[in-house]
Amino acid sequence: MALPEWDGELTSVRHDPETGAWFVIGVHSTRLGPASGGTRAMVYPSVDDAVADARRLAGAMTLKMAAAGLPMGGGKSVIALPAPRAELDDATWRRILGLHAANLNLLGGNYTTGPDVGTCSADMDVLRTLTPHVFGRSAAAGGPGSSGPMTALGVFAAVEAGVAEAGFDGVDGLRVLVQGLGAVGADVARLAAAAGAKLIVTDVDPARCAALAEELGAEVIDTGAVLTRECDVLVPCATGGLVTAEVAGTLPCAVLAGAANNLLADPYAAEVLRRRGVVHAPDFVANSGGAIHLVGREVLGWDADAVADRTRAIRDTLAGIFDDARTHGITTVAAAERRAAATLEGAL
Ligand code: NAI
Ligand code: PHE
């Protein structure tokens, strides 16, 4: 069997016949420091899909850490569940966390995990009783708490940077469409509403839409309308792979800035957006507030104010990236990757 190409360092794949779960850890790079990235737990169509996702997400973490100037490498865990998390009983989930902790211990600190889609601070609390290689415990368990609020603060800074680049005078009065109203999206919606945006929201969970409609007076749209609804700023905060090159060719917004990791399904989509003049904040910069929170608090000893200041600085980082992209006639993704590559090369 030919091994699929990947420029990362290590992939660990384990199976648990008892639960049917598969555990994948991708360590993409330890050049800047031990690798870190969250644990994603969800159902995958196949083990190959889970491996590919872990590797892609680990690569994005390398770029994220480098772009944010954090002394960490990039990694990611994927747990391919036998059934949706909500359908698993407590004993099964507990066994899965126990096996994941054992896998983390085998890597001996070369990789530290944290929360991601399908896991939360409470899961990190459990993991931390079994392994030291965990960020993001709840405050009650002595950790810095959820990365969601800082990720949201950073995404809103990215929205502000994008809006300025697109020539608008602030977010006030702009139509801001937030897709996915979970830990990050709901807080981005609150920040946008507080800045005077006309808020449009969508989520597969109608209760989340209803709650924000009531709290913020947001207009709720069908999930299927997210790529066709005209707006000034589109803020994807659900899952990745939303923007294919074809979608990029028609997306009716001026600014694209969100939290979803690996938002572009196809790298060429970035070029399509550039040619159409859509200002695109690369995901691994826009959503780096969570990494700044976890690494800042747990590795660098920063307090909450220092973390928030560094997170707000995402706005300036993106302004520089937009400037580079404009000056050199390249995509914003290429401009951000150049900066990350320079940091990685400097660490050799
Ligand atoms: P979450 O799981 O709390 O929220 C995701 C929301 O998206 C849920 O409300 C879900 O119902 C909704 N959703 C799922 N599919 C949808 C669809 N097709 N259309 C509309 N809504 C849909 O996740 P969280 O933590 O808010 O993260 C959101 C995204 O941001 C994820 O892609 C995650 O990888 C990324 N991210 C999160 C960070 C964090 O600190 N939480 C940090 C960096 C990136
Ligand atoms: N999973 C989140 C992200 O993609 C938060 C996180 C950052 C988790 C760094 C662990 C380490 O940024």
Side-chain angles (χ1 to χ4, degrees):
M1 186 185 87
L3 286 174
E5 269 183 42
W6 189 50
D7 63 347
E9 294 176 7
L10 177 148
T11 309
S12 123
V13 184
R14 299 188 79 185
H15 180 228
D16 175 34
E18 191 172 317
T19 59
W22 286 83
F23 301 82
V24 186
I25 299 178
V27 172
H28 178 259
S29 169
T30 53
R31 192 177 286 179
L32 294 178
S36 187
T39 296
R40 181 165 291 199
M42 54 187 259
V43 175
Y44 281 85
S46 73
V47 179
D48 284 352
D49 286 307
V51 171
D53 205 27
R55 288 174 156 188
R56 260 195 310 267
L57 290 163
M61 289 309 298
T62 300
L63 292 171
K64 189 181 303 189
M65 297 297 183
L70 297 170
M72 302 296 287
K76 201 87 174 191
S77 306
V78 157
I79 304 177
L81 298 174
R85 163 91 196 261
E87 292 171 21
L88 299 178
D89 60 45
D90 286 351
T92 302
W93 180 241
R94 183 74 202 207
R95 177 180 169 84
I96 285 172
L97 287 180
L99 291 167
H100 186 36
N103 293 338
L104 293 168
N105 281 330
L106 283 175
L107 293 180
N110 286 310
Y111 165 73
T112 301
T113 200
D116 197 71
V117 176
T119 61
C120 60
S121 289
D123 300 317
M124 299 306 121
D125 294 349
V126 175
L127 281 175
R128 188 60 183 262
T129 63
L130 305 167
T131 172
H133 311 304
V134 178
F135 293 147
R137 279 169 300 155
S138 65
S146 168
S147 52
M150 276 307 118
T151 303
L153 188 68
V155 169
F156 187 65
V159 168
E160 289 181 313
V163 158
E165 175 68 11
F168 294 111
D169 187 18
V171 173
D172 193 11
L174 296 187
R175 296 160 299 170
V176 175
L177 167 46
V178 182
Q179 180 208 33
L181 306 172
V184 178
D187 270 3
V188 177
R190 290 186 183 102
L191 291 165
K198 289 182 195 141
L199 206 58
I200 308 163
V201 297
T202 187
D203 195 293
V204 286
D205 181 346
R208 292 190 169 179
C209 293
L212 280 195
E214 185 172 332
E215 180 188 335
L216 305 173
E219 176 190 349
V220 176
I221 61 165
D222 283 347
T223 52
V226 75
L227 301 175
T228 49
R229 172 61 191 258
E230 276 207 17
C231 60
D232 299 302
V233 189
L234 176 60
V235 190
C237 296
T239 48
L242 182 72
V243 181
T244 61
E246 199 184 338
V247 165
T250 57
L251 216 50
C253 62
V255 177
L256 176 63
N261 280 306
N262 295 348
L263 176 69
L264 304 186
D266 170 353
Y268 185 63
E271 176 60 18
V272 177
L273 292 169
R274 187 187 76 81
R275 288 186 189 174
R276 290 187 59 228
V278 175
V279 177
H280 169 220
D283 47 24
F284 62 85
V285 182
N287 71 17
S288 60
I292 293 169
H293 169 72
L294 296 176
V295 177
R297 295 294 297 273
E298 302 207 52
V299 177
L300 302 170
W302 295 347
D303 63 17
D305 288 343
V307 166
D309 285 347
R310 283 291 289 255
T311 300
R312 286 191 200 93
I314 288 171
R315 181 179 172 157
D316 297 334
T317 303
L318 278 167
I321 287 167
F322 294 148
D323 198 36
D324 286 353
R326 227 184 311 104
T327 306
H328 300 291
I330 57 176
T331 69
T332 54
V333 174
E337 284 178 354
R338 274 189 189 178
R339 287 177 169 229
T343 303
L344 286 159
E345 276 156 25
L348 272 178

